[in-house]
Amino acid sequence: MSAARLTVVPSRMSLQQMKARLQGAAKGHSMLKKKSDALLVRFRALLQDILDNKEAAGEESKEAMLALALAKYAFGEELKHVVIENVGEAGTRVRMSPENIAGVMLPTFARVGEAAEGEVAAGAEDSAVAKKPSGGTSLAGLSKGGQQIASCRDSFSNTLELLIRLASMQTSFIILDEAIKLTNRRVNALENVVKPKIDNTIRYIISELDEMEREEFFRLKLVQNKKERDQRIKDAALAEEIAERKKQALTPFDLSSFEGDKRNILEQASNTGDSDIIF
């Protein structure tokens, strides 16, 4: 029993503190339970979105690879080297913004670059990236295979967009999984460890206070019984004394006790032989 409760001194103050802690634990358990439910709803919705985006990314990747094969067939095998030589810097960048879900910060990745030409850029660097063309790739295909190269570029751009969205979902999925596990551990700890300990502590304090009250009541009864017994003894002694006095008062006066020696005082003094008495 002592291992399943907190070590406290049984008193009224401790009882009030334990009740306040129990109320706080119950409120925290309720809030964490609601947080866990909200995270679980978001987790399941995110799982379905991940599955849909993975299927779409797979189909888009197939189309992009097929478009690359057609572009190589139309332009030739030197297409790869031409693209690498004409690329100066990345034409597409990713910006991360936080999203708050029940107190859990989830990273959300957004594409900035070619797709952000019509949008307001957050900084000068992003604005420069958004307005800069994608190197010399726009010049590729002027002589031959231009339509296939443009189709290949669009297919890979769509694939990249899906991959960025999928990366955001996968990252949020992992963070949500860890947050749900942590929240569930806290909920289980409050439900199975903290609250039972506080309940046992409250019952222990109440039982000890009741025992102290019974002991105090028994002590007061003993003191009261002792006082009543002492009072009865005093009352009996007083009653006996009063009865004795009444008995002496009702006894007749005995004159025989004074008739033993009828001589007067002078005669008694003359027979003592005292020379100081002269008569």
Side-chain angles (χ1 to χ4, degrees):
M1 186 67 179
S2 61
R5 63 174 176 83
L6 301 175
T7 304
V8 295
V9 178
S11 63
R12 297 290 180 185
M13 182 62 68
S14 299
L15 182 60
Q16 294 297 327
Q17 291 177 355
M18 288 298 107
K19 287 183 178 180
R21 290 183 63 178
L22 181 60
Q23 185 178 2
K27 185 176 180 180
H29 177 268
S30 176
M31 294 179 64
L32 287 176
K33 191 68 176 175
K34 292 179 181 179
K35 177 181 178 180
S36 177
D37 294 339
L39 293 178
L40 192 59
V41 170
R42 177 67 173 176
F43 182 80
R44 290 174 178 173
L46 195 60
L47 179 61
Q48 185 63 40
D49 292 341
I50 289 175
L51 293 177
D52 296 340
N53 277 271
K54 279 188 175 181
E55 293 178 358
E59 295 296 329
E60 194 67 30
S61 298
K62 291 180 182 179
E63 294 180 2
M65 296 306 295
L66 180 60
L68 178 61
L70 292 176
K72 284 184 178 181
Y73 177 77
F75 189 84
E77 291 297 332
E78 63 273 10
L79 175 64
K80 176 180 178 181
H81 303 287
V82 172
V83 172
I84 293 176
E85 289 176 359
N86 291 326
V87 171
E89 60 181 29
T92 301
R93 297 186 181 184
V94 176
R95 177 187 300 157
M96 186 188 72
S97 60
E99 181 183 4
N100 190 352
I101 303 296
V104 179
M105 304 304 294
L106 301 179
T108 302
F109 302 139
R111 181 181 178 183
V112 291
E114 293 179 353
E117 290 182 358
E119 300 177 358
V120 178
E125 183 179 358
D126 292 337
S127 178
V129 171
K131 295 178 181 178
K132 185 175 181 178
S134 57
T137 56
S138 59
L139 302 179
L142 291 178
S143 60
K144 56 181 178 179
Q147 183 178 0
Q148 286 78 11
I149 293 176
S151 176
C152 178
R153 182 171 59 247
D154 294 338
S155 297
F156 272 97
S157 179
N158 295 333
T159 304
L160 180 60
E161 182 73 27
L162 287 175
L163 290 178
I164 292 173
R165 192 183 309 162
L166 186 60
S168 177
M169 292 180 181
Q170 288 277 54
T171 307
S172 300
F173 182 83
I174 295 174
I175 295 176
L176 277 178
D177 186 37
E178 294 296 329
I180 290 173
K181 289 179 181 178
L182 179 60
T183 306
N184 289 335
R185 282 197 297 267
R186 291 177 177 175
V187 170
N188 293 332
L190 285 174
E191 184 177 359
N192 301 320
V193 178
V194 177
K195 291 177 66 177
K197 275 192 175 183
I198 297 178
D199 286 333
N200 293 335
T201 305
I202 291 176
R203 285 196 293 267
Y204 164 73
I205 294 175
I206 292 176
S207 64
E208 289 295 324
L209 291 178
D210 292 341
E211 184 67 23
M212 291 170 63
E213 289 180 0
R214 286 191 294 268
E215 290 177 357
E216 184 67 17
F217 180 76
F218 181 72
R219 187 184 66 82
L220 292 177
K221 289 294 291 183
L222 287 179
V223 172
Q224 185 178 3
N225 292 335
K226 185 178 184 302
K227 289 182 178 180
E228 291 177 354
R229 186 171 61 253
D230 295 341
Q231 187 65 34
R232 286 195 299 268
I233 293 174
K234 289 181 180 180
D235 293 342
L238 182 59
E240 185 178 355
E241 184 180 355
I242 293 174
E244 184 66 25
R245 289 181 180 179
K246 287 183 179 180
K247 183 178 179 182
Q248 292 177 1
L250 295 175
T251 303
F253 190 72
D254 189 9
L255 296 177
S256 60
S257 59
F258 297 95
E259 294 178 354
D261 192 1
K262 297 182 178 180
R263 296 177 300 170
N264 55 23
I265 298 175
L266 294 177
E267 292 178 354
Q268 293 178 8
S270 62
N271 294 329
T272 59
D274 191 355
S275 58
D276 293 333
I277 299 178
I278 301 174
F279 288 100

